[in-house]
Amino acid sequence: MSVSDSNIRVIVERTSEQATAAAAGLFKSIVCESVGRRGCCHLALAGGTTPHALYQRLAADATTGELPWRSVEIFFGDERDVPQDHVESNYRMAQRVLLDHVPISPERVHPMPADAENIESAASEYEKTVRRLVPCDGGDIPRFDLILLGIGGDGHTASLFPNTDALRETGRLVYAGFVPVLGRKRMTFTYPLINAARNVMFLVTGSDKAQVVLGILGDSPNIKSQLPAAGVHPANGCLIMVLDAAAARLTGIAPKGA
Ligand code: 6PG
């Protein structure tokens, strides 16, 4: 991935609050555009801590009726191997901060069953659900309207961690496997599914992410094994990277209004 790529949009805001506001604005326009064109918006939420403020903002705005939540179908890009009510669960965070506060029916929210006894077969079941509900738009891979992602300090995204088999998966769209650096299993979207999306949005804040952001936006070839987020480039879609100045500080890209 490189900042000069035609289908990548890098937005740098001064503060993390402004970056969150920018991400919320893009989230809303993508959802409204998808529902306007296709009657539905299929989206995948990210886990971790960065999206928390974004979900809070979207929940606060829910009372305005601005977003057609009843036409949204929600999935998750990855999940930890914990029950859905566990404090580490990405689903639990999204449910408490966002989903409990917006008018979306529970049948349209699809948590990843990453705590299943057999996580590998649970991953293929989740893939079947994605294939059943998300249209392929003429291709053979379901096309999400928006996949929201974060980036870890080691360059991982979703649960695509450096030097893991998940990075080399080209057949399965949802993969579950052991992540040595965590000593745990994870379930995750794979590159084929992520890169089929119409829109992928990274929301990345904080100076601790500056080094990986520089690496990801650089031109070095084949770095995705070390920086998995660099393997995200939707072939026929738009990649949006929303950063605060701290996360962008090594790129030389000035924040908006600077
Ligand atoms: C997870 C996330 C993961 C996250 C990054 C960034 O399950 O942890 O899906 O990919 O986006 O680790 O996490 P922070 O936002 O907490 O920095």
Side-chain angles (χ1 to χ4, degrees), residues 47-51 78 80 90 150-152 156-158 186 209:
T49 56
T50 305
D78 75 317
R80 292 89 180 270
N90 289 334
I151 299 179
H156 80 263
T157 190
R186 286 281 188 101
K209 304 290 176 71

Side-chain angles (χ1 to χ4, degrees), residues 45-51 77-80 88 90 149-154 156-161 186 203 205 208-209:
L45 297 179
T49 56
T50 305
D78 75 317
E79 189 55 275
R80 292 89 180 270
E88 285 182 23
N90 289 334
L149 294 172
I151 299 179
D154 60 357
H156 80 263
T157 190
S159 283
L160 297 169
F161 283 83
R186 286 281 188 101
L203 175 57
T205 60
D208 60 320
K209 304 290 176 71

Side-chain angles (χ1 to χ4, degrees), residues 142-185:
R143 289 199 80 194
F144 278 87
D145 295 297
L146 174 61
I147 298 177
L148 185 60
L149 294 172
I151 299 179
D154 60 357
H156 80 263
T157 190
S159 283
L160 297 169
F161 283 83
N163 306 307
T164 57
D165 292 343
L167 304 183
R168 289 178 285 280
E169 182 60 48
T170 54
R172 284 171 284 187
L173 305 181
V174 180
Y175 181 89
F178 183 73
V179 180
V181 71
L182 302 176
R184 316 270 296 273
K185 289 189 173 182

Side-chain angles (χ1 to χ4, degrees), residues 63-84:
T63 51
T64 64
E66 208 179 336
L67 276 183
W69 285 105
R70 288 181 178 78
S71 302
V72 175
E73 193 99 33
I74 288 187
F75 296 78
F76 289 80
D78 75 317
E79 189 55 275
R80 292 89 180 270
D81 61 344
V82 293
Q84 288 170 11

